[in-house]
Structures are given as C-alpha cells and as structure tokens.
Amino acid sequence: MTGNLKSIYLKLVLTTFFWGGTFVAARLAVKEAPPFFAATCRFTVAATCLIALTAWYANKEGKPFPVPAGGRQLALLFSLGVTGIFCYNAVFFTGLKLTTATSGALIVAINPLLTAVLSALWLRERVNLTQGAGLLVSLLGVSVVISKGSWAVLAGFAFNRGDLIMLGAPLCWALYSILGKKALASFTPLAATAYAALFGTMLLLPAALVEHSVLGGPWPSFSWIGWLAILQLALLGTVVGFVWWYQGVGRIGAARAAVFVNLVPFFGALQAALLLGERVVLPQ
C-alpha cells in the first residue's frame, strides 16, 4: 500500500469518526431547536468556511475562484446541494428527533449497499463476491435494528417513525456520493463541497422559515452545548469530513469508499454511550 493510499484510508477512518459524532451532536441540537433551523445553522457556518477556504486555496495557487462552466455543471453542483445537504439533513435531523443517536448511526450501515448498487447501475463499478456478502450482512443488520430484533415488528410494519425516516439518509448519501464522483471531473473536492453546502443552505433557509411559521412561537436559540454541537456538525462533520470523503471517492471509487461507512455505526454508538448515556441493546 502506497503512502498516499494509507493517507486516504486514514482520512476516511477519521471522517467516519467525525460522522459518528454528528449523530450525537444532532441529537443534542434537535433537543433545543427544530430540525430545519438546526440544519440551517450547521450549513450557514459550514458554507461560509468552505467558500472562504476555496477562495484562499485558489488565490494561493494563483487561480481564479472556480465557477461552473455552463448550465450542466451548475445543475450538477446544485444536485449535490439537493441530495447531500438539503434532503439528507431533512431526514437526518427529523429522524434523530424521533429516535436515538445509536439507532440512527446503525441504520446508516445500509449506505454501502445502496451506494454499491447505484454505482454498479450508474457508474458501471464492479461489486465482487466478498463485497456482496458484506453488503448482505449490512442489510440484515439494519433490518434487525429497525425491527428491534422482533419478527412481530417486521410482520406488522410497526416500526419507529424516526427509524423509518432515517432510512432516507443513506439513500440521499448514496446519490450524493455518485454525483460527487462526476463533479470531481471538473472541480476539486473542496470546491465541490463548497458549492454543495452553498446550494444546500439556500434550500434549507426557506424551509426553516416555513417550519417556524408552522410551529409559531419565538425564534429558537441554543445553549453553549447546542452551539458546540452545531460547530461539531459544521466544522468536523462537514468542512473536514466532506472534503476528505470526496478525496477518498476520487481516489478509490464510490463503492469502495462507502465500505468505510460501516465504521460510522461503531463510532456513533460509542460516542452516544459515552456522551449521551445511551445503552446498546441486544438487537443493536
């Protein structure tokens, strides 16, 4: 294994650690504010940092700020904002308001299955027998988690609503990963992530306004713990995590990079136990 590849693998492992922490941080954030408000705060901070970093790197290399060359590139970058930022965070924050951080993190284990299937259909990436067996295990594992290990729950479709909502997160992420692979043909990981965060924030803000008009009452606010959670989500879970993820996808492919997501449930459950006092029950 070359040094460059080792570096990519290390970054992917650290990214999954940061993402495991986002389940804890999001759970803390939605205890103090509605889902779309929390998501908007996260990506307002993240988008600002990512755009500033993109401008700084472009200036450092003596290049202009990267801009889309035509409507097709603009639509591709916008699709990243729709799938990986707006839709993902809509189900992510809403689901975690109704289920535990541990369950949310474990449900994400279906991500490699969805990414591999969509990559095979869309990008023509091959899935070997060993990968297929591992994907099947992840599918069975998620089935156990959302059913709480009960056949009666599966037979009667008596699932926790938050768990069902969270199933949308890995689907959104699989689409985001595949679209990101296409975006990397024209943009650096940093620039692609910056545009995704910018467009995602532009969609989240009006959703937060609608959310507030429906719920009514005063504008929500965060305690210092809530703001700490937002900063974790924005800086480690987004700025660092998204850029390193894109680098991994660009270097080893969407399907192989998605395998690392299997570490997210472990790190998520571990941090939920340490920071939230959640217990890992037998089915989990």
Side-chain angles (χ1 to χ4, degrees), residues 136-199:
L136 178 60
V137 171
S138 73
L139 176 62
L140 294 173
V142 169
S143 300
V144 172
V145 171
I146 66 172
S147 67
K148 303 297 186 290
S150 169
W151 175 254
V153 171
L154 280 174
F157 291 95
F159 304 111
N160 176 283
R161 191 154 58 99
D163 290 343
L164 291 178
I165 293 172
M166 281 299 298
L167 284 172
L171 175 60
C172 293
W173 191 257
L175 292 170
Y176 175 78
S177 296
I178 293 170
L179 291 167
K181 177 80 171 180
K182 292 180 176 291
L184 290 179
S186 305
F187 295 91
T188 65
L190 181 60
T193 308
Y195 273 110
L198 175 63
F199 288 130

Side-chain angles (χ1 to χ4, degrees), residues 67-86 122-123 172 174-188 191-200 203 246 249:
V67 295
R72 179 170 295 183
Q73 286 190 2
L74 183 64
L76 178 59
L77 293 171
F78 185 76
S79 71
L80 296 180
V82 173
T83 57
I85 310 301
F86 179 76
W122 196 345
L123 303 180
C172 293
L175 292 170
Y176 175 78
S177 296
I178 293 170
L179 291 167
K181 177 80 171 180
K182 292 180 176 291
L184 290 179
S186 305
F187 295 91
T188 65
T193 308
Y195 273 110
L198 175 63
F199 288 130
L203 294 171
Y246 262 138
V249 169

